[in-house]
PDB file of all heavy atoms in Angstrom:
ATOM      1  N   TYR A  10      -8.765  -9.905 -10.822  1.00 96.00           N
ATOM      2  CA  TYR A  10      -8.416  -9.179  -9.660  1.00 96.00           C
ATOM      3  C   TYR A  10      -8.681  -9.981  -8.369  1.00 96.00           C
ATOM      4  O   TYR A  10      -8.523  -9.448  -7.289  1.00 96.00           O
ATOM      5  CB  TYR A  10      -9.155  -7.803  -9.592  1.00 96.00           C
ATOM      6  CG  TYR A  10      -8.640  -6.822 -10.541  1.00 96.00           C
ATOM      7  CD1 TYR A  10      -9.305  -6.479 -11.717  1.00 96.00           C
ATOM      8  CD2 TYR A  10      -7.418  -6.233 -10.414  1.00 96.00           C
ATOM      9  CE1 TYR A  10      -8.847  -5.554 -12.571  1.00 96.00           C
ATOM     10  CE2 TYR A  10      -6.791  -5.308 -11.297  1.00 96.00           C
ATOM     11  CZ  TYR A  10      -7.586  -4.954 -12.417  1.00 96.00           C
ATOM     12  OH  TYR A  10      -7.130  -4.011 -13.300  1.00 96.00           O
ATOM     13  N   ALA A  11      -8.949 -11.232  -8.532  1.00 97.00           N
ATOM     14  CA  ALA A  11      -9.147 -12.121  -7.335  1.00 97.00           C
ATOM     15  C   ALA A  11      -7.969 -13.108  -7.205  1.00 97.00           C
ATOM     16  O   ALA A  11      -7.469 -13.276  -6.069  1.00 97.00           O
ATOM     17  CB  ALA A  11     -10.477 -12.864  -7.349  1.00 97.00           C
ATOM     18  N   GLY A  12      -7.569 -13.715  -8.332  1.00 95.00           N
ATOM     19  CA  GLY A  12      -6.499 -14.721  -8.299  1.00 95.00           C
ATOM     20  C   GLY A  12      -5.454 -14.531  -9.323  1.00 95.00           C
ATOM     21  O   GLY A  12      -4.528 -15.424  -9.443  1.00 95.00           O
ATOM     22  N   GLY A  13      -5.495 -13.447 -10.075  1.00 93.00           N
ATOM     23  CA  GLY A  13      -4.515 -13.283 -11.198  1.00 93.00           C
ATOM     24  C   GLY A  13      -3.594 -12.097 -11.050  1.00 93.00           C
ATOM     25  O   GLY A  13      -2.835 -11.773 -11.958  1.00 93.00           O
ATOM     26  N   VAL A  14      -3.656 -11.445  -9.880  1.00 91.00           N
ATOM     27  CA  VAL A  14      -2.847 -10.278  -9.581  1.00 91.00           C
ATOM     28  C   VAL A  14      -2.376 -10.421  -8.142  1.00 91.00           C
ATOM     29  O   VAL A  14      -2.967 -11.042  -7.228  1.00 91.00           O
ATOM     30  CB  VAL A  14      -3.524  -8.907  -9.777  1.00 91.00           C
ATOM     31  CG1 VAL A  14      -3.978  -8.748 -11.225  1.00 91.00           C
ATOM     32  CG2 VAL A  14      -4.624  -8.728  -8.804  1.00 91.00           C
ATOM     33  N   VAL A  15      -1.131  -9.861  -7.879  1.00 91.00           N
ATOM     34  CA  VAL A  15      -0.676  -9.783  -6.410  1.00 91.00           C
ATOM     35  C   VAL A  15      -0.610  -8.251  -6.122  1.00 91.00           C
ATOM     36  O   VAL A  15      -0.283  -7.441  -6.937  1.00 91.00           O
ATOM     37  CB  VAL A  15       0.654 -10.482  -6.318  1.00 91.00           C
ATOM     38  CG1 VAL A  15       0.474 -11.936  -6.466  1.00 91.00           C
ATOM     39  CG2 VAL A  15       1.684  -9.868  -7.186  1.00 91.00           C
ATOM     40  N   ARG A  16      -0.931  -7.999  -4.835  1.00 91.00           N
ATOM     41  CA  ARG A  16      -0.919  -6.688  -4.363  1.00 91.00           C
ATOM     42  C   ARG A  16      -0.275  -6.671  -2.873  1.00 91.00           C
ATOM     43  O   ARG A  16      -0.437  -7.725  -2.213  1.00 91.00           O
ATOM     44  CB  ARG A  16      -2.316  -6.027  -4.317  1.00 91.00           C
ATOM     45  CG  ARG A  16      -2.882  -5.827  -5.718  1.00 91.00           C
ATOM     46  CD  ARG A  16      -2.179  -4.729  -6.446  1.00 91.00           C
ATOM     47  NE  ARG A  16      -2.790  -4.376  -7.681  1.00 91.00           N
ATOM     48  CZ  ARG A  16      -2.476  -4.920  -8.875  1.00 91.00           C
ATOM     49  NH1 ARG A  16      -1.568  -5.951  -8.928  1.00 91.00           N
ATOM     50  NH2 ARG A  16      -3.125  -4.566 -10.012  1.00 91.00           N
ATOM     51  N   ALA A  17       0.239  -5.599  -2.510  1.00 90.00           N
ATOM     52  CA  ALA A  17       0.821  -5.453  -1.155  1.00 90.00           C
ATOM     53  C   ALA A  17      -0.231  -5.764  -0.137  1.00 90.00           C
ATOM     54  O   ALA A  17      -1.392  -5.218  -0.216  1.00 90.00           O
ATOM     55  CB  ALA A  17       1.408  -4.063  -0.942  1.00 90.00           C
ATOM     56  N   ALA A  18       0.057  -6.695   0.760  1.00 91.00           N
ATOM     57  CA  ALA A  18      -1.038  -7.191   1.725  1.00 91.00           C
ATOM     58  C   ALA A  18      -1.263  -6.215   2.855  1.00 91.00           C
ATOM     59  O   ALA A  18      -2.425  -6.262   3.406  1.00 91.00           O
ATOM     60  CB  ALA A  18      -0.554  -8.459   2.265  1.00 91.00           C
ATOM     61  N   GLY A  19      -0.249  -5.325   3.165  1.00 91.00           N
ATOM     62  CA  GLY A  19      -0.541  -4.372   4.184  1.00 91.00           C
ATOM     63  C   GLY A  19      -0.765  -5.150   5.525  1.00 91.00           C
ATOM     64  O   GLY A  19      -0.238  -6.131   5.829  1.00 91.00           O
ATOM     65  N   ASP A  20      -1.739  -4.591   6.360  1.00 93.00           N
ATOM     66  CA  ASP A  20      -2.051  -5.173   7.595  1.00 93.00           C
ATOM     67  C   ASP A  20      -2.958  -6.359   7.561  1.00 93.00           C
ATOM     68  O   ASP A  20      -3.418  -6.849   8.637  1.00 93.00           O
ATOM     69  CB  ASP A  20      -2.597  -4.105   8.502  1.00 93.00           C
ATOM     70  CG  ASP A  20      -1.653  -3.184   9.191  1.00 93.00           C
ATOM     71  OD1 ASP A  20      -0.473  -3.465   9.128  1.00 93.00           O
ATOM     72  OD2 ASP A  20      -2.092  -2.122   9.749  1.00 93.00           O
ATOM     73  N   THR A  21      -3.283  -6.862   6.380  1.00 93.00           N
ATOM     74  CA  THR A  21      -3.940  -8.159   6.291  1.00 93.00           C
ATOM     75  C   THR A  21      -3.160  -9.239   6.958  1.00 93.00           C
ATOM     76  O   THR A  21      -3.741 -10.279   7.435  1.00 93.00           O
ATOM     77  CB  THR A  21      -4.383  -8.545   4.865  1.00 93.00           C
ATOM     78  OG1 THR A  21      -3.065  -8.754   4.151  1.00 93.00           O
ATOM     79  CG2 THR A  21      -5.200  -7.520   4.170  1.00 93.00           C
ATOM     80  N   THR A  22      -1.880  -9.083   6.989  1.00 91.00           N
ATOM     81  CA  THR A  22      -0.964 -10.037   7.618  1.00 91.00           C
ATOM     82  C   THR A  22      -0.823  -9.944   9.135  1.00 91.00           C
ATOM     83  O   THR A  22      -0.328 -10.801   9.816  1.00 91.00           O
ATOM     84  CB  THR A  22       0.381 -10.048   6.989  1.00 91.00           C
ATOM     85  OG1 THR A  22       1.108  -8.818   7.198  1.00 91.00           O
ATOM     86  CG2 THR A  22       0.375 -10.274   5.489  1.00 91.00           C
ATOM     87  N   ARG A  23      -1.236  -8.822   9.680  1.00 91.00           N
ATOM     88  CA  ARG A  23      -0.994  -8.517  11.062  1.00 91.00           C
ATOM     89  C   ARG A  23      -1.555  -9.547  12.080  1.00 91.00           C
ATOM     90  O   ARG A  23      -0.889  -9.979  12.965  1.00 91.00           O
ATOM     91  CB  ARG A  23      -1.562  -7.137  11.434  1.00 91.00           C
ATOM     92  CG  ARG A  23      -1.430  -6.753  12.896  1.00 91.00           C
ATOM     93  CD  ARG A  23      -1.934  -5.326  13.158  1.00 91.00           C
ATOM     94  NE  ARG A  23      -3.247  -5.114  12.654  1.00 91.00           N
ATOM     95  CZ  ARG A  23      -4.389  -5.475  13.323  1.00 91.00           C
ATOM     96  NH1 ARG A  23      -4.213  -6.165  14.487  1.00 91.00           N
ATOM     97  NH2 ARG A  23      -5.552  -5.316  12.833  1.00 91.00           N
ATOM     98  N   PRO A  24      -2.833 -10.053  11.882  1.00 92.00           N
ATOM     99  CA  PRO A  24      -3.314 -11.010  12.832  1.00 92.00           C
ATOM    100  C   PRO A  24      -2.463 -12.306  12.911  1.00 92.00           C
ATOM    101  O   PRO A  24      -2.567 -13.059  13.942  1.00 92.00           O
ATOM    102  CB  PRO A  24      -4.729 -11.280  12.385  1.00 92.00           C
ATOM    103  CG  PRO A  24      -5.114 -10.021  11.601  1.00 92.00           C
ATOM    104  CD  PRO A  24      -3.843  -9.628  10.967  1.00 92.00           C
ATOM    105  N   PHE A  25      -1.765 -12.627  11.855  1.00 89.00           N
ATOM    106  CA  PHE A  25      -1.026 -13.885  11.862  1.00 89.00           C
ATOM    107  C   PHE A  25       0.289 -13.812  12.619  1.00 89.00           C
ATOM    108  O   PHE A  25       0.796 -14.713  13.182  1.00 89.00           O
ATOM    109  CB  PHE A  25      -0.752 -14.328  10.434  1.00 89.00           C
ATOM    110  CG  PHE A  25      -1.928 -14.648   9.672  1.00 89.00           C
ATOM    111  CD1 PHE A  25      -2.654 -13.713   8.924  1.00 89.00           C
ATOM    112  CD2 PHE A  25      -2.516 -15.891   9.697  1.00 89.00           C
ATOM    113  CE1 PHE A  25      -3.859 -13.974   8.320  1.00 89.00           C
ATOM    114  CE2 PHE A  25      -3.700 -16.207   8.980  1.00 89.00           C
ATOM    115  CZ  PHE A  25      -4.301 -15.260   8.386  1.00 89.00           C
ATOM    116  N   GLY A  26       0.852 -12.577  12.654  1.00 84.00           N
ATOM    117  CA  GLY A  26       2.091 -12.321  13.412  1.00 84.00           C
ATOM    118  C   GLY A  26       3.365 -12.733  12.788  1.00 84.00           C
ATOM    119  O   GLY A  26       4.453 -12.309  13.148  1.00 84.00           O
ATOM    120  N   SER A  27       3.334 -13.672  11.804  1.00 80.00           N
ATOM    121  CA  SER A  27       4.580 -14.106  11.135  1.00 80.00           C
ATOM    122  C   SER A  27       4.282 -14.692   9.762  1.00 80.00           C
ATOM    123  O   SER A  27       3.159 -15.178   9.540  1.00 80.00           O
ATOM    124  CB  SER A  27       5.283 -15.144  11.987  1.00 80.00           C
ATOM    125  OG  SER A  27       4.568 -16.364  12.024  1.00 80.00           O
ATOM    126  N   VAL A  28       5.251 -14.694   8.892  1.00 76.00           N
ATOM    127  CA  VAL A  28       5.081 -15.286   7.610  1.00 76.00           C
ATOM    128  C   VAL A  28       4.869 -16.815   7.678  1.00 76.00           C
ATOM    129  O   VAL A  28       4.126 -17.345   6.995  1.00 76.00           O
ATOM    130  CB  VAL A  28       6.395 -15.044   6.753  1.00 76.00           C
ATOM    131  CG1 VAL A  28       6.394 -15.927   5.504  1.00 76.00           C
ATOM    132  CG2 VAL A  28       6.432 -13.500   6.357  1.00 76.00           C
ATOM    133  N   ALA A  29       5.473 -17.403   8.689  1.00 80.00           N
ATOM    134  CA  ALA A  29       5.280 -18.828   8.901  1.00 80.00           C
ATOM    135  C   ALA A  29       3.878 -19.200   9.138  1.00 80.00           C
ATOM    136  O   ALA A  29       3.346 -20.161   8.586  1.00 80.00           O
ATOM    137  CB  ALA A  29       6.164 -19.297  10.060  1.00 80.00           C
ATOM    138  N   LEU A  30       3.118 -18.447   9.959  1.00 87.00           N
ATOM    139  CA  LEU A  30       1.706 -18.669  10.130  1.00 87.00           C
ATOM    140  C   LEU A  30       0.857 -18.444   8.906  1.00 87.00           C
ATOM    141  O   LEU A  30      -0.165 -19.111   8.704  1.00 87.00           O
ATOM    142  CB  LEU A  30       1.188 -17.939  11.303  1.00 87.00           C
ATOM    143  CG  LEU A  30       1.586 -18.330  12.716  1.00 87.00           C
ATOM    144  CD1 LEU A  30       0.898 -17.565  13.759  1.00 87.00           C
ATOM    145  CD2 LEU A  30       1.155 -19.862  12.839  1.00 87.00           C
ATOM    146  N   MET A  31       1.251 -17.398   8.049  1.00 86.00           N
ATOM    147  CA  MET A  31       0.595 -17.185   6.847  1.00 86.00           C
ATOM    148  C   MET A  31       0.689 -18.505   5.979  1.00 86.00           C
ATOM    149  O   MET A  31      -0.350 -18.923   5.376  1.00 86.00           O
ATOM    150  CB  MET A  31       1.108 -16.051   6.085  1.00 86.00           C
ATOM    151  CG  MET A  31       0.813 -14.641   6.658  1.00 86.00           C
ATOM    152  SD  MET A  31      -0.958 -14.266   6.499  1.00 86.00           S
ATOM    153  CE  MET A  31      -1.082 -13.870   4.767  1.00 86.00           C
ATOM    154  N   ARG A  32       1.822 -19.045   5.899  1.00 87.00           N
ATOM    155  CA  ARG A  32       2.007 -20.304   5.110  1.00 87.00           C
ATOM    156  C   ARG A  32       1.170 -21.458   5.688  1.00 87.00           C
ATOM    157  O   ARG A  32       0.581 -22.219   5.011  1.00 87.00           O
ATOM    158  CB  ARG A  32       3.485 -20.685   5.000  1.00 87.00           C
ATOM    159  CG  ARG A  32       4.299 -19.786   4.132  1.00 87.00           C
ATOM    160  CD  ARG A  32       5.747 -20.045   4.166  1.00 87.00           C
ATOM    161  NE  ARG A  32       6.473 -19.214   3.180  1.00 87.00           N
ATOM    162  CZ  ARG A  32       7.690 -18.821   3.400  1.00 87.00           C
ATOM    163  NH1 ARG A  32       8.305 -18.991   4.438  1.00 87.00           N
ATOM    164  NH2 ARG A  32       8.254 -18.071   2.457  1.00 87.00           N
ATOM    165  N   ALA A  33       1.176 -21.528   7.068  1.00 85.00           N
ATOM    166  CA  ALA A  33       0.390 -22.574   7.749  1.00 85.00           C
ATOM    167  C   ALA A  33      -1.060 -22.429   7.498  1.00 85.00           C
ATOM    168  O   ALA A  33      -1.819 -23.404   7.549  1.00 85.00           O
ATOM    169  CB  ALA A  33       0.711 -22.533   9.254  1.00 85.00           C
ATOM    170  N   ALA A  34      -1.526 -21.197   7.263  1.00 88.00           N
ATOM    171  CA  ALA A  34      -2.980 -20.906   7.083  1.00 88.00           C
ATOM    172  C   ALA A  34      -3.356 -21.205   5.658  1.00 88.00           C
ATOM    173  O   ALA A  34      -4.570 -21.007   5.320  1.00 88.00           O
ATOM    174  CB  ALA A  34      -3.276 -19.542   7.485  1.00 88.00           C
ATOM    175  N   GLY A  35      -2.523 -21.629   4.817  1.00 86.00           N
ATOM    176  CA  GLY A  35      -2.899 -21.973   3.428  1.00 86.00           C
ATOM    177  C   GLY A  35      -2.344 -21.088   2.369  1.00 86.00           C
ATOM    178  O   GLY A  35      -2.702 -21.302   1.171  1.00 86.00           O
ATOM    179  N   VAL A  36      -1.579 -19.959   2.633  1.00 86.00           N
ATOM    180  CA  VAL A  36      -1.052 -19.123   1.687  1.00 86.00           C
ATOM    181  C   VAL A  36       0.203 -19.791   1.016  1.00 86.00           C
ATOM    182  O   VAL A  36       1.175 -20.105   1.765  1.00 86.00           O
ATOM    183  CB  VAL A  36      -0.610 -17.734   2.248  1.00 86.00           C
ATOM    184  CG1 VAL A  36      -0.031 -16.860   1.151  1.00 86.00           C
ATOM    185  CG2 VAL A  36      -1.922 -17.054   2.813  1.00 86.00           C
ATOM    186  N   PRO A  37       0.203 -20.012  -0.241  1.00 81.00           N
ATOM    187  CA  PRO A  37       1.370 -20.623  -0.843  1.00 81.00           C
ATOM    188  C   PRO A  37       2.619 -19.701  -0.880  1.00 81.00           C
ATOM    189  O   PRO A  37       2.447 -18.409  -0.797  1.00 81.00           O
ATOM    190  CB  PRO A  37       0.896 -20.930  -2.238  1.00 81.00           C
ATOM    191  CG  PRO A  37      -0.083 -19.896  -2.563  1.00 81.00           C
ATOM    192  CD  PRO A  37      -0.790 -19.645  -1.223  1.00 81.00           C
ATOM    193  N   GLU A  38       3.759 -20.272  -0.929  1.00 77.00           N
ATOM    194  CA  GLU A  38       4.985 -19.470  -1.041  1.00 77.00           C
ATOM    195  C   GLU A  38       5.146 -18.667  -2.343  1.00 77.00           C
ATOM    196  O   GLU A  38       5.676 -17.648  -2.443  1.00 77.00           O
ATOM    197  CB  GLU A  38       6.277 -20.332  -0.869  1.00 77.00           C
ATOM    198  CG  GLU A  38       6.345 -20.975   0.467  1.00 77.00           C
ATOM    199  CD  GLU A  38       7.655 -21.708   0.721  1.00 77.00           C
ATOM    200  OE1 GLU A  38       8.677 -21.388   0.043  1.00 77.00           O
ATOM    201  OE2 GLU A  38       7.649 -22.698   1.444  1.00 77.00           O
ATOM    202  N   SER A  39       4.529 -19.290  -3.471  1.00 78.00           N
ATOM    203  CA  SER A  39       4.486 -18.684  -4.664  1.00 78.00           C
ATOM    204  C   SER A  39       3.282 -19.086  -5.478  1.00 78.00           C
ATOM    205  O   SER A  39       2.582 -19.992  -5.129  1.00 78.00           O
ATOM    206  CB  SER A  39       5.765 -19.065  -5.498  1.00 78.00           C
ATOM    207  OG  SER A  39       5.752 -20.486  -5.792  1.00 78.00           O
ATOM    208  N   ALA A  40       2.959 -18.366  -6.523  1.00 80.00           N
ATOM    209  CA  ALA A  40       1.782 -18.614  -7.356  1.00 80.00           C
ATOM    210  C   ALA A  40       1.996 -18.152  -8.817  1.00 80.00           C
ATOM    211  O   ALA A  40       2.882 -17.330  -8.995  1.00 80.00           O
ATOM    212  CB  ALA A  40       0.500 -17.931  -6.792  1.00 80.00           C
ATOM    213  N   GLU A  41       1.309 -18.713  -9.690  1.00 79.00           N
ATOM    214  CA  GLU A  41       1.387 -18.291 -11.071  1.00 79.00           C
ATOM    215  C   GLU A  41       0.566 -17.059 -11.290  1.00 79.00           C
ATOM    216  O   GLU A  41      -0.674 -17.145 -11.081  1.00 79.00           O
ATOM    217  CB  GLU A  41       0.931 -19.348 -12.022  1.00 79.00           C
ATOM    218  CG  GLU A  41       1.096 -19.050 -13.513  1.00 79.00           C
ATOM    219  CD  GLU A  41       0.671 -20.166 -14.454  1.00 79.00           C
ATOM    220  OE1 GLU A  41       0.897 -21.324 -14.077  1.00 79.00           O
ATOM    221  OE2 GLU A  41       0.153 -19.896 -15.515  1.00 79.00           O
ATOM    222  N   VAL A  42       1.166 -15.980 -11.631  1.00 80.00           N
ATOM    223  CA  VAL A  42       0.492 -14.720 -11.838  1.00 80.00           C
ATOM    224  C   VAL A  42       0.865 -14.128 -13.146  1.00 80.00           C
ATOM    225  O   VAL A  42       2.122 -13.925 -13.397  1.00 80.00           O
ATOM    226  CB  VAL A  42       0.775 -13.645 -10.652  1.00 80.00           C
ATOM    227  CG1 VAL A  42       0.123 -12.327 -10.847  1.00 80.00           C
ATOM    228  CG2 VAL A  42       0.461 -14.233  -9.316  1.00 80.00           C
ATOM    229  N   GLU A  43      -0.076 -13.879 -14.043  1.00 72.00           N
ATOM    230  CA  GLU A  43       0.151 -13.335 -15.331  1.00 72.00           C
ATOM    231  C   GLU A  43       1.127 -14.135 -16.101  1.00 72.00           C
ATOM    232  O   GLU A  43       2.065 -13.589 -16.765  1.00 72.00           O
ATOM    233  CB  GLU A  43       0.557 -11.879 -15.223  1.00 72.00           C
ATOM    234  CG  GLU A  43      -0.551 -10.990 -14.595  1.00 72.00           C
ATOM    235  CD  GLU A  43      -0.059  -9.497 -14.555  1.00 72.00           C
ATOM    236  OE1 GLU A  43       1.134  -9.293 -14.539  1.00 72.00           O
ATOM    237  OE2 GLU A  43      -0.898  -8.644 -14.454  1.00 72.00           O
ATOM    238  N   GLY A  44       1.008 -15.452 -15.973  1.00 74.00           N
ATOM    239  CA  GLY A  44       1.866 -16.342 -16.812  1.00 74.00           C
ATOM    240  C   GLY A  44       3.312 -16.687 -16.244  1.00 74.00           C
ATOM    241  O   GLY A  44       4.023 -17.358 -16.852  1.00 74.00           O
ATOM    242  N   ARG A  45       3.608 -16.139 -15.050  1.00 76.00           N
ATOM    243  CA  ARG A  45       4.907 -16.428 -14.495  1.00 76.00           C
ATOM    244  C   ARG A  45       4.850 -16.730 -13.036  1.00 76.00           C
ATOM    245  O   ARG A  45       3.902 -16.269 -12.298  1.00 76.00           O
ATOM    246  CB  ARG A  45       5.889 -15.317 -14.751  1.00 76.00           C
ATOM    247  CG  ARG A  45       5.489 -13.934 -14.090  1.00 76.00           C
ATOM    248  CD  ARG A  45       6.542 -12.842 -14.358  1.00 76.00           C
ATOM    249  NE  ARG A  45       6.165 -11.623 -13.763  1.00 76.00           N
ATOM    250  CZ  ARG A  45       5.385 -10.733 -14.202  1.00 76.00           C
ATOM    251  NH1 ARG A  45       4.863 -10.898 -15.407  1.00 76.00           N
ATOM    252  NH2 ARG A  45       5.114  -9.585 -13.544  1.00 76.00           N
ATOM    253  N   ARG A  46       5.827 -17.452 -12.463  1.00 82.00           N
ATOM    254  CA  ARG A  46       5.846 -17.808 -11.047  1.00 82.00           C
ATOM    255  C   ARG A  46       6.187 -16.573 -10.276  1.00 82.00           C
ATOM    256  O   ARG A  46       7.167 -15.919 -10.573  1.00 82.00           O
ATOM    257  CB  ARG A  46       6.814 -18.880 -10.821  1.00 82.00           C
ATOM    258  CG  ARG A  46       6.423 -19.830  -9.688  1.00 82.00           C
ATOM    259  CD  ARG A  46       5.162 -20.699 -10.038  1.00 82.00           C
ATOM    260  NE  ARG A  46       4.661 -21.275  -8.813  1.00 82.00           N
ATOM    261  CZ  ARG A  46       3.458 -21.769  -8.822  1.00 82.00           C
ATOM    262  NH1 ARG A  46       2.622 -21.702  -9.819  1.00 82.00           N
ATOM    263  NH2 ARG A  46       3.045 -22.361  -7.669  1.00 82.00           N
ATOM    264  N   THR A  47       5.434 -16.276  -9.247  1.00 80.00           N
ATOM    265  CA  THR A  47       5.666 -15.095  -8.470  1.00 80.00           C
ATOM    266  C   THR A  47       5.773 -15.500  -6.983  1.00 80.00           C
ATOM    267  O   THR A  47       4.885 -16.161  -6.357  1.00 80.00           O
ATOM    268  CB  THR A  47       4.530 -14.060  -8.658  1.00 80.00           C
ATOM    269  OG1 THR A  47       4.388 -13.729  -9.999  1.00 80.00           O
ATOM    270  CG2 THR A  47       4.756 -12.816  -7.869  1.00 80.00           C
TER     271      THR A  47
END
């Protein structure tokens, strides 16, 4: 439940203001979750 599942982020993204800044802060565009690329 830390790195093997994805959940709706809700307002955790609010301080960044944009998806571009989330990527810039180190969030990958995709990740392997439960054996498949997500």
Side-chain angles (χ1 to χ4, degrees):
Y10 286 108
V14 299
V15 293
R16 294 291 185 267
D20 279 350
T21 63
T22 63
R23 176 178 54 81
F25 295 89
S27 71
V28 167
L30 281 185
M31 287 292 287
R32 287 175 176 147
V36 176
E38 295 184 28
S39 63
E41 183 177 328
V42 179
E43 297 179 338
R45 63 180 182 275
R46 209 69 193 164
T47 302

